[in-house]
PDB file of all heavy atoms in Angstrom:
ATOM      1  N   VAL B   1       4.232-145.120 -57.644  1.00 91.00           N
ATOM      2  CA  VAL B   1       5.583-145.329 -57.086  1.00 91.00           C
ATOM      3  C   VAL B   1       5.543-145.533 -55.580  1.00 91.00           C
ATOM      4  O   VAL B   1       6.450-146.185 -55.026  1.00 91.00           O
ATOM      5  CB  VAL B   1       6.509-144.145 -57.456  1.00 91.00           C
ATOM      6  CG1 VAL B   1       6.604-144.004 -58.957  1.00 91.00           C
ATOM      7  CG2 VAL B   1       6.039-142.838 -56.814  1.00 91.00           C
ATOM      8  N   GLN B   2       4.513-145.020 -54.907  1.00 92.00           N
ATOM      9  CA  GLN B   2       4.425-145.202 -53.449  1.00 92.00           C
ATOM     10  C   GLN B   2       4.228-146.664 -53.067  1.00 92.00           C
ATOM     11  O   GLN B   2       4.472-147.052 -51.921  1.00 92.00           O
ATOM     12  CB  GLN B   2       3.304-144.334 -52.865  1.00 92.00           C
ATOM     13  CG  GLN B   2       3.679-142.868 -52.787  1.00 92.00           C
ATOM     14  CD  GLN B   2       2.554-142.001 -52.261  1.00 92.00           C
ATOM     15  OE1 GLN B   2       1.391-142.284 -52.487  1.00 92.00           O
ATOM     16  NE2 GLN B   2       2.907-140.915 -51.530  1.00 92.00           N
ATOM     17  N   ASN B   3       3.813-147.498 -54.039  1.00 91.00           N
ATOM     18  CA  ASN B   3       3.696-148.924 -53.770  1.00 91.00           C
ATOM     19  C   ASN B   3       5.066-149.580 -53.513  1.00 91.00           C
ATOM     20  O   ASN B   3       5.118-150.716 -53.015  1.00 91.00           O
ATOM     21  CB  ASN B   3       3.008-149.634 -54.960  1.00 91.00           C
ATOM     22  CG  ASN B   3       1.558-149.245 -55.093  1.00 91.00           C
ATOM     23  OD1 ASN B   3       0.859-149.058 -54.088  1.00 91.00           O
ATOM     24  ND2 ASN B   3       1.084-149.109 -56.331  1.00 91.00           N
ATOM     25  N   TYR B   4       6.136-148.893 -53.870  1.00 94.00           N
ATOM     26  CA  TYR B   4       7.484-149.436 -53.737  1.00 94.00           C
ATOM     27  C   TYR B   4       8.245-148.794 -52.560  1.00 94.00           C
ATOM     28  O   TYR B   4       9.479-148.770 -52.578  1.00 94.00           O
ATOM     29  CB  TYR B   4       8.265-149.287 -55.049  1.00 94.00           C
ATOM     30  CG  TYR B   4       7.635-150.053 -56.187  1.00 94.00           C
ATOM     31  CD1 TYR B   4       6.706-149.462 -57.028  1.00 94.00           C
ATOM     32  CD2 TYR B   4       7.923-151.389 -56.372  1.00 94.00           C
ATOM     33  CE1 TYR B   4       6.109-150.162 -58.053  1.00 94.00           C
ATOM     34  CE2 TYR B   4       7.322-152.120 -57.390  1.00 94.00           C
ATOM     35  CZ  TYR B   4       6.409-151.471 -58.228  1.00 94.00           C
ATOM     36  OH  TYR B   4       5.820-152.200 -59.264  1.00 94.00           O
ATOM     37  N   ALA B   5       7.493-148.311 -51.584  1.00 96.00           N
ATOM     38  CA  ALA B   5       8.113-147.658 -50.418  1.00 96.00           C
ATOM     39  C   ALA B   5       8.994-148.638 -49.644  1.00 96.00           C
ATOM     40  O   ALA B   5       8.642-149.815 -49.472  1.00 96.00           O
ATOM     41  CB  ALA B   5       7.036-147.083 -49.513  1.00 96.00           C
ATOM     42  N   VAL B   6      10.158-148.155 -49.203  1.00 97.00           N
ATOM     43  CA  VAL B   6      11.091-148.949 -48.393  1.00 97.00           C
ATOM     44  C   VAL B   6      11.389-148.184 -47.109  1.00 97.00           C
ATOM     45  O   VAL B   6      11.275-146.977 -47.047  1.00 97.00           O
ATOM     46  CB  VAL B   6      12.411-149.267 -49.153  1.00 97.00           C
ATOM     47  CG1 VAL B   6      12.144-150.184 -50.340  1.00 97.00           C
ATOM     48  CG2 VAL B   6      13.090-147.968 -49.601  1.00 97.00           C
ATOM     49  N   ASP B   7      11.794-148.936 -46.079  1.00 96.00           N
ATOM     50  CA  ASP B   7      12.167-148.331 -44.801  1.00 96.00           C
ATOM     51  C   ASP B   7      13.647-147.950 -44.881  1.00 96.00           C
ATOM     52  O   ASP B   7      14.494-148.808 -44.977  1.00 96.00           O
ATOM     53  CB  ASP B   7      11.925-149.312 -43.654  1.00 96.00           C
ATOM     54  CG  ASP B   7      12.190-148.689 -42.295  1.00 96.00           C
ATOM     55  OD1 ASP B   7      12.229-147.460 -42.220  1.00 96.00           O
ATOM     56  OD2 ASP B   7      12.366-149.443 -41.317  1.00 96.00           O
ATOM     57  N   VAL B   8      13.918-146.642 -44.825  1.00 97.00           N
ATOM     58  CA  VAL B   8      15.287-146.140 -44.959  1.00 97.00           C
ATOM     59  C   VAL B   8      15.736-145.523 -43.641  1.00 97.00           C
ATOM     60  O   VAL B   8      15.011-144.757 -43.031  1.00 97.00           O
ATOM     61  CB  VAL B   8      15.352-145.069 -46.076  1.00 97.00           C
ATOM     62  CG1 VAL B   8      16.714-144.413 -46.127  1.00 97.00           C
ATOM     63  CG2 VAL B   8      15.043-145.724 -47.442  1.00 97.00           C
ATOM     64  N   THR B   9      16.961-145.871 -43.227  1.00 98.00           N
ATOM     65  CA  THR B   9      17.586-145.265 -42.040  1.00 98.00           C
ATOM     66  C   THR B   9      18.996-144.806 -42.386  1.00 98.00           C
ATOM     67  O   THR B   9      19.639-145.376 -43.281  1.00 98.00           O
ATOM     68  CB  THR B   9      17.642-146.256 -40.841  1.00 98.00           C
ATOM     69  OG1 THR B   9      18.281-147.466 -41.303  1.00 98.00           O
ATOM     70  CG2 THR B   9      16.271-146.579 -40.342  1.00 98.00           C
ATOM     71  N   LEU B  10      19.474-143.795 -41.697  1.00 98.00           N
ATOM     72  CA  LEU B  10      20.772-143.207 -42.002  1.00 98.00           C
ATOM     73  C   LEU B  10      21.907-144.054 -41.423  1.00 98.00           C
ATOM     74  O   LEU B  10      21.784-144.642 -40.340  1.00 98.00           O
ATOM     75  CB  LEU B  10      20.833-141.791 -41.423  1.00 98.00           C
ATOM     76  CG  LEU B  10      19.741-140.845 -41.949  1.00 98.00           C
ATOM     77  CD1 LEU B  10      19.806-139.522 -41.187  1.00 98.00           C
ATOM     78  CD2 LEU B  10      19.912-140.619 -43.431  1.00 98.00           C
ATOM     79  N   ASP B  11      23.042-144.098 -42.159  1.00 97.00           N
ATOM     80  CA  ASP B  11      24.219-144.868 -41.754  1.00 97.00           C
ATOM     81  C   ASP B  11      25.235-143.938 -41.105  1.00 97.00           C
ATOM     82  O   ASP B  11      25.905-143.151 -41.812  1.00 97.00           O
ATOM     83  CB  ASP B  11      24.817-145.550 -42.956  1.00 97.00           C
ATOM     84  CG  ASP B  11      25.982-146.452 -42.615  1.00 97.00           C
ATOM     85  OD1 ASP B  11      26.338-146.508 -41.427  1.00 97.00           O
ATOM     86  OD2 ASP B  11      26.563-147.074 -43.540  1.00 97.00           O
ATOM     87  N   PRO B  12      25.421-143.972 -39.786  1.00 97.00           N
ATOM     88  CA  PRO B  12      26.362-143.065 -39.108  1.00 97.00           C
ATOM     89  C   PRO B  12      27.817-143.272 -39.568  1.00 97.00           C
ATOM     90  O   PRO B  12      28.613-142.345 -39.433  1.00 97.00           O
ATOM     91  CB  PRO B  12      26.188-143.399 -37.630  1.00 97.00           C
ATOM     92  CG  PRO B  12      25.573-144.760 -37.587  1.00 97.00           C
ATOM     93  CD  PRO B  12      24.735-144.884 -38.838  1.00 97.00           C
ATOM     94  N   ASP B  13      28.147-144.459 -40.069  1.00 96.00           N
ATOM     95  CA  ASP B  13      29.513-144.730 -40.510  1.00 96.00           C
ATOM     96  C   ASP B  13      29.866-143.921 -41.754  1.00 96.00           C
ATOM     97  O   ASP B  13      31.061-143.785 -42.107  1.00 96.00           O
ATOM     98  CB  ASP B  13      29.716-146.212 -40.779  1.00 96.00           C
ATOM     99  CG  ASP B  13      29.716-147.036 -39.507  1.00 96.00           C
ATOM    100  OD1 ASP B  13      29.974-146.447 -38.435  1.00 96.00           O
ATOM    101  OD2 ASP B  13      29.509-148.261 -39.572  1.00 96.00           O
ATOM    102  N   THR B  14      28.862-143.393 -42.470  1.00 97.00           N
ATOM    103  CA  THR B  14      29.128-142.614 -43.692  1.00 97.00           C
ATOM    104  C   THR B  14      29.015-141.114 -43.432  1.00 97.00           C
ATOM    105  O   THR B  14      29.385-140.324 -44.335  1.00 97.00           O
ATOM    106  CB  THR B  14      28.133-143.016 -44.803  1.00 97.00           C
ATOM    107  OG1 THR B  14      26.804-142.626 -44.428  1.00 97.00           O
ATOM    108  CG2 THR B  14      28.174-144.503 -45.055  1.00 97.00           C
ATOM    109  N   ALA B  15      28.540-140.713 -42.263  1.00 97.00           N
ATOM    110  CA  ALA B  15      28.181-139.303 -42.022  1.00 97.00           C
ATOM    111  C   ALA B  15      29.422-138.434 -41.884  1.00 97.00           C
ATOM    112  O   ALA B  15      30.378-138.783 -41.163  1.00 97.00           O
ATOM    113  CB  ALA B  15      27.310-139.177 -40.789  1.00 97.00           C
ATOM    114  N   ASN B  16      29.404-137.272 -42.520  1.00 97.00           N
ATOM    115  CA  ASN B  16      30.447-136.244 -42.335  1.00 97.00           C
ATOM    116  C   ASN B  16      30.536-135.864 -40.856  1.00 97.00           C
ATOM    117  O   ASN B  16      29.496-135.812 -40.174  1.00 97.00           O
ATOM    118  CB  ASN B  16      30.103-135.029 -43.192  1.00 97.00           C
ATOM    119  CG  ASN B  16      31.136-133.918 -43.071  1.00 97.00           C
ATOM    120  OD1 ASN B  16      31.146-133.168 -42.128  1.00 97.00           O
ATOM    121  ND2 ASN B  16      32.009-133.832 -44.065  1.00 97.00           N
ATOM    122  N   PRO B  17      31.748-135.605 -40.333  1.00 96.00           N
ATOM    123  CA  PRO B  17      31.878-135.307 -38.907  1.00 96.00           C
ATOM    124  C   PRO B  17      31.064-134.123 -38.397  1.00 96.00           C
ATOM    125  O   PRO B  17      30.806-133.996 -37.200  1.00 96.00           O
ATOM    126  CB  PRO B  17      33.386-135.030 -38.744  1.00 96.00           C
ATOM    127  CG  PRO B  17      34.026-135.787 -39.884  1.00 96.00           C
ATOM    128  CD  PRO B  17      33.040-135.707 -40.999  1.00 96.00           C
ATOM    129  N   TYR B  18      30.627-133.222 -39.285  1.00 96.00           N
ATOM    130  CA  TYR B  18      29.854-132.064 -38.850  1.00 96.00           C
ATOM    131  C   TYR B  18      28.349-132.344 -38.781  1.00 96.00           C
ATOM    132  O   TYR B  18      27.576-131.484 -38.371  1.00 96.00           O
ATOM    133  CB  TYR B  18      30.085-130.892 -39.782  1.00 96.00           C
ATOM    134  CG  TYR B  18      31.415-130.184 -39.560  1.00 96.00           C
ATOM    135  CD1 TYR B  18      32.557-130.570 -40.219  1.00 96.00           C
ATOM    136  CD2 TYR B  18      31.531-129.157 -38.608  1.00 96.00           C
ATOM    137  CE1 TYR B  18      33.790-129.953 -40.008  1.00 96.00           C
ATOM    138  CE2 TYR B  18      32.748-128.521 -38.378  1.00 96.00           C
ATOM    139  CZ  TYR B  18      33.855-128.924 -39.072  1.00 96.00           C
ATOM    140  OH  TYR B  18      35.080-128.314 -38.847  1.00 96.00           O
ATOM    141  N   LEU B  19      27.941-133.545 -39.171  1.00 97.00           N
ATOM    142  CA  LEU B  19      26.490-133.856 -39.176  1.00 97.00           C
ATOM    143  C   LEU B  19      26.033-134.407 -37.833  1.00 97.00           C
ATOM    144  O   LEU B  19      26.759-135.109 -37.150  1.00 97.00           O
ATOM    145  CB  LEU B  19      26.194-134.893 -40.278  1.00 97.00           C
ATOM    146  CG  LEU B  19      26.408-134.415 -41.727  1.00 97.00           C
ATOM    147  CD1 LEU B  19      25.973-135.517 -42.692  1.00 97.00           C
ATOM    148  CD2 LEU B  19      25.647-133.130 -42.009  1.00 97.00           C
ATOM    149  N   ASN B  20      24.784-134.052 -37.506  1.00 96.00           N
ATOM    150  CA  ASN B  20      24.120-134.561 -36.309  1.00 96.00           C
ATOM    151  C   ASN B  20      22.984-135.474 -36.724  1.00 96.00           C
ATOM    152  O   ASN B  20      22.065-135.036 -37.419  1.00 96.00           O
ATOM    153  CB  ASN B  20      23.581-133.406 -35.462  1.00 96.00           C
ATOM    154  CG  ASN B  20      24.689-132.476 -34.983  1.00 96.00           C
ATOM    155  OD1 ASN B  20      25.716-132.911 -34.525  1.00 96.00           O
ATOM    156  ND2 ASN B  20      24.459-131.157 -35.142  1.00 96.00           N
ATOM    157  N   LEU B  21      23.036-136.741 -36.279  1.00 97.00           N
ATOM    158  CA  LEU B  21      22.002-137.717 -36.627  1.00 97.00           C
ATOM    159  C   LEU B  21      21.171-138.024 -35.404  1.00 97.00           C
ATOM    160  O   LEU B  21      21.689-138.084 -34.273  1.00 97.00           O
ATOM    161  CB  LEU B  21      22.637-139.006 -37.132  1.00 97.00           C
ATOM    162  CG  LEU B  21      22.978-139.110 -38.643  1.00 97.00           C
ATOM    163  CD1 LEU B  21      23.991-138.049 -39.032  1.00 97.00           C
ATOM    164  CD2 LEU B  21      23.524-140.493 -38.988  1.00 97.00           C
ATOM    165  N   SER B  22      19.872-138.222 -35.604  1.00 96.00           N
ATOM    166  CA  SER B  22      18.994-138.589 -34.492  1.00 96.00           C
ATOM    167  C   SER B  22      19.238-140.042 -34.132  1.00 96.00           C
ATOM    168  O   SER B  22      19.782-140.823 -34.911  1.00 96.00           O
ATOM    169  CB  SER B  22      17.520-138.372 -34.922  1.00 96.00           C
ATOM    170  OG  SER B  22      17.201-139.215 -36.015  1.00 96.00           O
ATOM    171  N   ASP B  23      18.824-140.402 -32.896  1.00 96.00           N
ATOM    172  CA  ASP B  23      19.063-141.755 -32.412  1.00 96.00           C
ATOM    173  C   ASP B  23      18.355-142.815 -33.270  1.00 96.00           C
ATOM    174  O   ASP B  23      18.834-143.930 -33.392  1.00 96.00           O
ATOM    175  CB  ASP B  23      18.582-141.884 -30.958  1.00 96.00           C
ATOM    176  CG  ASP B  23      19.469-141.056 -30.000  1.00 96.00           C
ATOM    177  OD1 ASP B  23      20.627-140.760 -30.379  1.00 96.00           O
ATOM    178  OD2 ASP B  23      18.985-140.702 -28.916  1.00 96.00           O
ATOM    179  N   ASP B  24      17.196-142.440 -33.836  1.00 96.00           N
ATOM    180  CA  ASP B  24      16.451-143.420 -34.643  1.00 96.00           C
ATOM    181  C   ASP B  24      16.922-143.451 -36.082  1.00 96.00           C
ATOM    182  O   ASP B  24      16.415-144.234 -36.891  1.00 96.00           O
ATOM    183  CB  ASP B  24      14.946-143.125 -34.598  1.00 96.00           C
ATOM    184  CG  ASP B  24      14.573-141.770 -35.207  1.00 96.00           C
ATOM    185  OD1 ASP B  24      15.520-141.027 -35.605  1.00 96.00           O
ATOM    186  OD2 ASP B  24      13.378-141.450 -35.233  1.00 96.00           O
ATOM    187  N   GLY B  25      17.913-142.645 -36.453  1.00 96.00           N
ATOM    188  CA  GLY B  25      18.475-142.662 -37.776  1.00 96.00           C
ATOM    189  C   GLY B  25      17.552-142.115 -38.861  1.00 96.00           C
ATOM    190  O   GLY B  25      17.691-142.456 -40.036  1.00 96.00           O
ATOM    191  N   LYS B  26      16.594-141.248 -38.446  1.00 97.00           N
ATOM    192  CA  LYS B  26      15.617-140.699 -39.391  1.00 97.00           C
ATOM    193  C   LYS B  26      15.826-139.206 -39.667  1.00 97.00           C
ATOM    194  O   LYS B  26      15.197-138.678 -40.592  1.00 97.00           O
ATOM    195  CB  LYS B  26      14.193-140.918 -38.874  1.00 97.00           C
ATOM    196  CG  LYS B  26      13.802-142.386 -38.728  1.00 97.00           C
ATOM    197  CD  LYS B  26      13.769-143.096 -40.064  1.00 97.00           C
ATOM    198  CE  LYS B  26      13.265-144.541 -39.909  1.00 97.00           C
ATOM    199  NZ  LYS B  26      13.222-145.253 -41.196  1.00 97.00           N
ATOM    200  N   GLN B  27      16.681-138.520 -38.900  1.00 98.00           N
ATOM    201  CA  GLN B  27      16.875-137.081 -39.082  1.00 98.00           C
ATOM    202  C   GLN B  27      18.351-136.754 -39.150  1.00 98.00           C
ATOM    203  O   GLN B  27      19.176-137.384 -38.477  1.00 98.00           O
ATOM    204  CB  GLN B  27      16.224-136.291 -37.925  1.00 98.00           C
ATOM    205  CG  GLN B  27      14.728-136.519 -37.772  1.00 98.00           C
ATOM    206  CD  GLN B  27      14.111-135.632 -36.721  1.00 98.00           C
ATOM    207  OE1 GLN B  27      14.597-134.520 -36.496  1.00 98.00           O
ATOM    208  NE2 GLN B  27      13.046-136.090 -36.082  1.00 98.00           N
ATOM    209  N   VAL B  28      18.687-135.723 -39.967  1.00 98.00           N
ATOM    210  CA  VAL B  28      20.066-135.267 -40.051  1.00 98.00           C
ATOM    211  C   VAL B  28      20.091-133.766 -40.263  1.00 98.00           C
ATOM    212  O   VAL B  28      19.297-133.214 -41.020  1.00 98.00           O
ATOM    213  CB  VAL B  28      20.830-135.977 -41.199  1.00 98.00           C
ATOM    214  CG1 VAL B  28      20.131-135.767 -42.557  1.00 98.00           C
ATOM    215  CG2 VAL B  28      22.268-135.502 -41.287  1.00 98.00           C
ATOM    216  N   SER B  29      20.991-133.098 -39.520  1.00 96.00           N
ATOM    217  CA  SER B  29      21.213-131.672 -39.690  1.00 96.00           C
ATOM    218  C   SER B  29      22.705-131.393 -39.598  1.00 96.00           C
ATOM    219  O   SER B  29      23.472-132.259 -39.155  1.00 96.00           O
ATOM    220  CB  SER B  29      20.460-130.885 -38.605  1.00 96.00           C
ATOM    221  OG  SER B  29      20.937-131.257 -37.318  1.00 96.00           O
ATOM    222  N   CYS B  30      23.111-130.213 -40.041  1.00 95.00           N
ATOM    223  CA  CYS B  30      24.528-129.854 -40.070  1.00 95.00           C
ATOM    224  C   CYS B  30      24.843-128.898 -38.936  1.00 95.00           C
ATOM    225  O   CYS B  30      24.156-127.862 -38.768  1.00 95.00           O
ATOM    226  CB  CYS B  30      24.891-129.234 -41.394  1.00 95.00           C
ATOM    227  SG  CYS B  30      26.667-128.987 -41.627  1.00 95.00           S
ATOM    228  N   GLY B  31      25.850-129.236 -38.115  1.00 92.00           N
ATOM    229  CA  GLY B  31      26.234-128.375 -37.002  1.00 92.00           C
ATOM    230  C   GLY B  31      27.489-127.577 -37.295  1.00 92.00           C
ATOM    231  O   GLY B  31      28.053-127.638 -38.397  1.00 92.00           O
ATOM    232  N   ASP B  32      27.952-126.823 -36.306  1.00 90.00           N
ATOM    233  CA  ASP B  32      29.133-125.979 -36.437  1.00 90.00           C
ATOM    234  C   ASP B  32      30.387-126.613 -35.868  1.00 90.00           C
ATOM    235  O   ASP B  32      31.497-126.123 -36.069  1.00 90.00           O
ATOM    236  CB  ASP B  32      28.895-124.630 -35.752  1.00 90.00           C
ATOM    237  CG  ASP B  32      27.786-123.838 -36.425  1.00 90.00           C
ATOM    238  OD1 ASP B  32      27.707-123.884 -37.684  1.00 90.00           O
ATOM    239  OD2 ASP B  32      26.979-123.218 -35.716  1.00 90.00           O
ATOM    240  N   ILE B  33      30.226-127.717 -35.123  1.00 92.00           N
ATOM    241  CA  ILE B  33      31.351-128.313 -34.408  1.00 92.00           C
ATOM    242  C   ILE B  33      31.666-129.693 -35.030  1.00 92.00           C
ATOM    243  O   ILE B  33      30.763-130.525 -35.198  1.00 92.00           O
ATOM    244  CB  ILE B  33      31.033-128.475 -32.909  1.00 92.00           C
ATOM    245  CG1 ILE B  33      30.747-127.106 -32.300  1.00 92.00           C
ATOM    246  CG2 ILE B  33      32.181-129.169 -32.189  1.00 92.00           C
ATOM    247  CD1 ILE B  33      30.285-127.189 -30.852  1.00 92.00           C
ATOM    248  N   GLU B  34      32.916-129.904 -35.344  1.00 92.00           N
ATOM    249  CA  GLU B  34      33.346-131.211 -35.866  1.00 92.00           C
ATOM    250  C   GLU B  34      33.374-132.219 -34.736  1.00 92.00           C
ATOM    251  O   GLU B  34      34.029-131.996 -33.712  1.00 92.00           O
ATOM    252  CB  GLU B  34      34.718-131.108 -36.521  1.00 92.00           C
ATOM    253  CG  GLU B  34      35.171-132.421 -37.172  1.00 92.00           C
ATOM    254  CD  GLU B  34      36.506-132.261 -37.887  1.00 92.00           C
ATOM    255  OE1 GLU B  34      37.152-131.211 -37.754  1.00 92.00           O
ATOM    256  OE2 GLU B  34      36.899-133.199 -38.575  1.00 92.00           O
ATOM    257  N   GLN B  35      32.670-133.315 -34.918  1.00 93.00           N
ATOM    258  CA  GLN B  35      32.580-134.337 -33.866  1.00 93.00           C
ATOM    259  C   GLN B  35      33.742-135.327 -33.992  1.00 93.00           C
ATOM    260  O   GLN B  35      34.308-135.534 -35.068  1.00 93.00           O
ATOM    261  CB  GLN B  35      31.251-135.085 -33.977  1.00 93.00           C
ATOM    262  CG  GLN B  35      30.043-134.167 -33.865  1.00 93.00           C
ATOM    263  CD  GLN B  35      28.743-134.936 -33.979  1.00 93.00           C
ATOM    264  OE1 GLN B  35      28.464-135.820 -33.186  1.00 93.00           O
ATOM    265  NE2 GLN B  35      27.955-134.588 -34.990  1.00 93.00           N
ATOM    266  N   ASP B  36      34.087-135.929 -32.856  1.00 92.00           N
ATOM    267  CA  ASP B  36      35.152-136.946 -32.831  1.00 92.00           C
ATOM    268  C   ASP B  36      34.545-138.279 -33.195  1.00 92.00           C
ATOM    269  O   ASP B  36      33.928-138.949 -32.371  1.00 92.00           O
ATOM    270  CB  ASP B  36      35.744-136.977 -31.403  1.00 92.00           C
ATOM    271  CG  ASP B  36      36.954-137.938 -31.349  1.00 92.00           C
ATOM    272  OD1 ASP B  36      37.447-138.324 -32.441  1.00 92.00           O
ATOM    273  OD2 ASP B  36      37.359-138.308 -30.240  1.00 92.00           O
ATOM    274  N   VAL B  37      34.682-138.650 -34.452  1.00 93.00           N
ATOM    275  CA  VAL B  37      34.085-139.883 -34.955  1.00 93.00           C
ATOM    276  C   VAL B  37      35.219-140.780 -35.500  1.00 93.00           C
ATOM    277  O   VAL B  37      36.258-140.279 -35.939  1.00 93.00           O
ATOM    278  CB  VAL B  37      33.048-139.623 -36.045  1.00 93.00           C
ATOM    279  CG1 VAL B  37      31.843-138.906 -35.478  1.00 93.00           C
ATOM    280  CG2 VAL B  37      33.667-138.811 -37.200  1.00 93.00           C
ATOM    281  N   PRO B  38      35.030-142.096 -35.504  1.00 92.00           N
ATOM    282  CA  PRO B  38      36.062-143.008 -36.044  1.00 92.00           C
ATOM    283  C   PRO B  38      36.298-142.737 -37.529  1.00 92.00           C
ATOM    284  O   PRO B  38      35.368-142.469 -38.296  1.00 92.00           O
ATOM    285  CB  PRO B  38      35.457-144.388 -35.806  1.00 92.00           C
ATOM    286  CG  PRO B  38      34.411-144.191 -34.771  1.00 92.00           C
ATOM    287  CD  PRO B  38      33.873-142.819 -34.959  1.00 92.00           C
ATOM    288  N   LYS B  39      37.533-142.829 -37.915  1.00 90.00           N
ATOM    289  CA  LYS B  39      37.879-142.692 -39.352  1.00 90.00           C
ATOM    290  C   LYS B  39      37.678-144.024 -40.035  1.00 90.00           C
ATOM    291  O   LYS B  39      38.088-145.072 -39.528  1.00 90.00           O
ATOM    292  CB  LYS B  39      39.327-142.225 -39.506  1.00 90.00           C
ATOM    293  CG  LYS B  39      39.569-140.812 -39.027  1.00 90.00           C
ATOM    294  CD  LYS B  39      41.009-140.373 -39.288  1.00 90.00           C
ATOM    295  CE  LYS B  39      41.234-138.937 -38.829  1.00 90.00           C
ATOM    296  NZ  LYS B  39      42.609-138.483 -39.102  1.00 90.00           N
ATOM    297  N   ASN B  40      37.016-143.998 -41.171  1.00 91.00           N
ATOM    298  CA  ASN B  40      36.837-145.195 -41.975  1.00 91.00           C
ATOM    299  C   ASN B  40      36.650-144.827 -43.429  1.00 91.00           C
ATOM    300  O   ASN B  40      36.255-143.684 -43.732  1.00 91.00           O
ATOM    301  CB  ASN B  40      35.670-146.049 -41.446  1.00 91.00           C
ATOM    302  CG  ASN B  40      34.331-145.365 -41.600  1.00 91.00           C
ATOM    303  OD1 ASN B  40      33.860-145.239 -42.726  1.00 91.00           O
ATOM    304  ND2 ASN B  40      33.744-144.909 -40.524  1.00 91.00           N
ATOM    305  N   PRO B  41      36.920-145.751 -44.353  1.00 92.00           N
ATOM    306  CA  PRO B  41      36.843-145.422 -45.790  1.00 92.00           C
ATOM    307  C   PRO B  41      35.420-145.090 -46.270  1.00 92.00           C
ATOM    308  O   PRO B  41      35.256-144.499 -47.324  1.00 92.00           O
ATOM    309  CB  PRO B  41      37.368-146.680 -46.468  1.00 92.00           C
ATOM    310  CG  PRO B  41      37.211-147.746 -45.466  1.00 92.00           C
ATOM    311  CD  PRO B  41      37.400-147.124 -44.130  1.00 92.00           C
ATOM    312  N   LYS B  42      34.395-145.438 -45.483  1.00 95.00           N
ATOM    313  CA  LYS B  42      33.017-145.181 -45.912  1.00 95.00           C
ATOM    314  C   LYS B  42      32.607-143.738 -45.640  1.00 95.00           C
ATOM    315  O   LYS B  42      31.616-143.256 -46.212  1.00 95.00           O
ATOM    316  CB  LYS B  42      32.060-146.119 -45.181  1.00 95.00           C
ATOM    317  CG  LYS B  42      32.204-147.583 -45.539  1.00 95.00           C
ATOM    318  CD  LYS B  42      31.356-148.474 -44.640  1.00 95.00           C
ATOM    319  CE  LYS B  42      29.886-148.182 -44.724  1.00 95.00           C
ATOM    320  NZ  LYS B  42      29.073-149.060 -43.898  1.00 95.00           N
TER     321      LYS B  42
END
């Protein structure tokens, strides 16, 4: 299955407001403060 590896990055437009994403889109953790992010259906 490792032969089918793909490059995956996180989509900030889908992230819950409490999540913290790294600049490179490879790490995500949950914080205690709700961030001011644009509202969108995604």
Side-chain angles (χ1 to χ4, degrees):
V1 301
Q2 284 178 327
N3 292 323
Y4 296 93
V6 294
D7 185 17
V8 173
T9 53
L10 302 173
D11 183 359
D13 289 339
T14 66
N16 180 280
Y18 283 91
L19 293 184
N20 299 314
L21 274 61
S22 61
D23 292 338
D24 62 358
K26 297 295 184 180
Q27 301 186 30
V28 57
S29 60
C30 189
D32 296 321
I33 301 174
E34 184 176 9
Q35 302 180 61
D36 184 15
V37 293
K39 292 183 179 181
N40 66 71
K42 294 172 60 178

